[in-house]
Amino acid sequence: MIGFDEACRRLAALATPLGVEFVPLDRAAGRILAAPVIARRSAPAVEVSAMDGYAVRDADLAAGPVRLRLVGEAFAGSAPRLAPLGAGDCVRIFTGAPMPAGADRVVIQEVTRREGEAVLLVERPSPAWHVRAAGSDFALGETLLDASVRLSPQALVAAAAADIGAVQAYRRPRLALISTGDELVAPGQAADAPGTIPESVSFGVAALADAWGGEVVSRRRLGDDLPGLARAAGEALDEADVVVVTGGASVGERDFSKAMFQSHRLRLAFEKVAIKPGKPVWLGRAGKRIVLGLPGNPSAAMVTARLFLAPLLAGLGGRRPEEALAWRTMPLLAPLDACGDRECFHRGRGAADGVKPLGNQDSSAQKELAMADLLIRRRAGARLLPAGGLVEVLSF
Ligand SMILES: Nc1nc2c(c(=O)[nH]1)N[C@H]1C(S)=C(S)[C@@H](COP(=O)(O)OP(=O)(O)OC[C@H]3O[C@@H](n4cnc5c(N)ncnc54)[C@H](O)[C@@H]3O)O[C@H]1N2
Ligand code: MOO
């Protein structure tokens, strides 16, 4: 059995980018840039007003009580007025409008009074210029977003401002999910059917995949029948980059998750990792596709999805797999048991002053799983740790 770090190394070797595509900006939220976003224009393109008011010459303001002659108006989008302002002239101007030639600043309308075609300054204007220089936000040719950046809502604004309609982004990994188990039925169907349980794991795995940049293209719930599973494996491999199988990972007589890929040339990268929960997790390749087997126990499935599926999707989608495993240190708010010879990933709940391990650490837990927002990593053989001890944690 290999350790967690070795499993991560083997996974990273498979988790390389799938490819690059052009994505229109209105569908690019959350995508990872494969090329930098370079400005196709300067912003602002010309010197513009930052306020609604009047564009004036400083020389006219210096001359004491001020009464100016209105000679024009400028709106956002107006052509710049090229004839220079004469002595005593001003131009009505609005936020974003091009400054007229010869004007030095904008006085806001709140300190003025209009009398027909005359504008009187009734208060001393603030020393602010209220003018934005051409290129003061960014200049033509400037790199606004580097490659590998994830397009956050804020970054999308910068990309659009760069005047590009589509970005070059890494392809999102397509996922096929297969839940195996004779006992599984759709949620809502179990209460009246003795011997069945609601299939719960795929809902968590699908949501986690989405959060890590994957696109779930199919979901199947299948009984433990090897020929049927092998057929479904073939279909899933045809339609997705990654096939995730849950359940049937262990050594039971009807545990077929690896066997169902045998006729599809499954080559294992690892099977069994010395971690708790999640020991039966396995990873392999079938042709060009990647197959990840998660244990069926719900807490074990979600822990292994977080520890292996998240980095896999990160890597396939253009990020470094390690970015999905950003461990940090936090104090424990309650004691934690000694860890046996498998590295432990306890489920915990974060608070402002530390992390509290949840009471039920069983790999089948579902109720307390709902409370977990951190994983606490403890190395194999670690001793009992009292409250206040520092632990490594990962967002869950
Ligand atoms: N003799 C041994 N037995 C077991 C070992 C072992 O090493 N030797 N490993 C144990 C460990 S650790 C785990 S974890 C489990 C995982 O086993 P499987 O992946 O084969 O999971 P199943 O047997 O299919 O199911 C386990 C459990 O989880 C329920 N389940 C399965 N899928 C779902 C789902 N999609 N939604 C909700 N619940 C699900 C299933 O009904 C079982 O109760 O094996 C140990 N055994
Ligand atoms: O890995 Mo299993 O999840 O220990 O029960």
Side-chain angles (χ1 to χ4, degrees), residues 114-157:
R114 265 296 270 284
E115 285 182 1
E117 293 307 285
V119 177
L120 277 65
L121 253 64
V122 292
E123 277 175 45
R124 206 183 159 72
S126 82
W129 286 23
H130 300 314
V131 171
R132 297 192 172 112
S136 56
D137 184 358
F138 57 81
L140 169 74
E142 204 176 312
T143 299
L144 302 194
L145 301 168
D146 289 319
S148 303
V149 158
R150 183 168 197 265
L151 284 173
S152 65
Q154 303 85 297
L156 278 170
V157 172

Side-chain angles (χ1 to χ4, degrees), residues 183-184 197-201 246-251 255 279-280 295-298:
E183 71 283 21
L184 303 177
I197 63 165
E199 193 284 302
S200 59
V201 166
T246 64
S250 191
V251 293
D255 285 343
K279 178 181 71 171
N297 273 323

Side-chain angles (χ1 to χ4, degrees), residues 174-201:
R174 289 165 302 161
L175 266 88
L177 303 187
I178 304 178
S179 315
T180 70
D182 286 331
E183 71 283 21
L184 303 177
V185 293
Q189 307 298 311
D192 303 325
T196 68
I197 63 165
E199 193 284 302
S200 59
V201 166

Side-chain angles (χ1 to χ4, degrees), residues 176-180 202 218-222 232-233 235-236 239:
L177 303 187
I178 304 178
S179 315
T180 70
S202 74
S218 66
R219 287 166 73 159
R220 292 177 176 79
R221 192 183 63 248
L222 298 166
E235 290 163 13
E239 65 203 10

Side-chain angles (χ1 to χ4, degrees), residues 55-95:
V56 301
R57 299 169 355 126
D58 275 356
D60 293 333
L61 298 190
V66 181
R67 188 183 177 87
L68 300 168
R69 188 169 49 251
L70 192 61
V71 298
E73 56 184 11
F75 294 89
S78 296
R81 181 189 163 95
L82 300 175
L85 279 193
D89 288 349
C90 70
V91 163
R92 181 77 171 116
I93 197 163
F94 299 94
T95 308

Side-chain angles (χ1 to χ4, degrees), residues 47-322:
E47 186 184 47
V48 296
S49 173
M51 296 296 243
D52 300 322
Y54 297 90
V56 301
R57 299 169 355 126
D58 275 356
D60 293 333
L61 298 190
V66 181
R67 188 183 177 87
L68 300 168
R69 188 169 49 251
L70 192 61
V71 298
E73 56 184 11
F75 294 89
S78 296
R81 181 189 163 95
L82 300 175
L85 279 193
D89 288 349
C90 70
V91 163
R92 181 77 171 116
I93 197 163
F94 299 94
T95 308
M99 287 290 283
D104 298 305
R105 71 175 65 223
V106 170
V107 293
I108 61 173
Q109 62 196 47
E110 289 88 332
V111 301
T112 66
R113 192 170 72 235
R114 265 296 270 284
E115 285 182 1
E117 293 307 285
V119 177
L120 277 65
L121 253 64
V122 292
E123 277 175 45
R124 206 183 159 72
S126 82
W129 286 23
H130 300 314
V131 171
R132 297 192 172 112
S136 56
D137 184 358
F138 57 81
L140 169 74
E142 204 176 312
T143 299
L144 302 194
L145 301 168
D146 289 319
S148 303
V149 158
R150 183 168 197 265
L151 284 173
S152 65
Q154 303 85 297
L156 278 170
V157 172
D163 195 30
I164 52 167
V167 288
Q168 245 188 302
Y170 287 103
R171 204 156 77 57
R172 286 178 76 185
R174 289 165 302 161
L175 266 88
L177 303 187
I178 304 178
S179 315
T180 70
D182 286 331
E183 71 283 21
L184 303 177
V185 293
Q189 307 298 311
D192 303 325
T196 68
I197 63 165
E199 193 284 302
S200 59
V201 166
S202 74
F203 294 87
V205 173
L208 183 140
D210 184 68
W212 286 94
E215 183 190 357
V216 177
V217 294
S218 66
R219 287 166 73 159
R220 292 177 176 79
R221 192 183 63 248
L222 298 166
D224 300 311
D225 150 61
L226 187 52
L229 287 170
R231 234 181 354 262
E235 290 163 13
L237 290 168
D238 281 343
E239 65 203 10
D241 304 299
V242 179
V243 181
V244 178
V245 196
T246 64
S250 191
V251 293
E253 283 185 9
R254 293 188 186 165
D255 285 343
F256 294 136
S257 73
K258 276 168 274 186
M260 65 193 268
F261 289 93
Q262 227 133 47
S263 52
H264 305 287
R265 294 174 295 128
L266 176 67
R267 280 178 295 130
L268 286 169
F270 60 74
E271 57 177 330
K272 286 207 182 88
V273 181
I275 57 174
K276 187 177 163 78
K279 178 181 71 171
V281 63
W282 59 270
L283 178 73
R285 241 184 198 298
K288 287 188 170 163
R289 312 306 198 194
I290 294 174
V291 190
L292 176 64
L294 305 180
N297 273 323
S299 275
M302 289 309 293
V303 169
T304 47
R306 179 62 187 85
L307 295 177
F308 297 104
L309 183 58
L312 179 63
L313 294 176
L316 295 173
R319 280 183 284 179
R320 289 180 308 113
E322 307 83 79

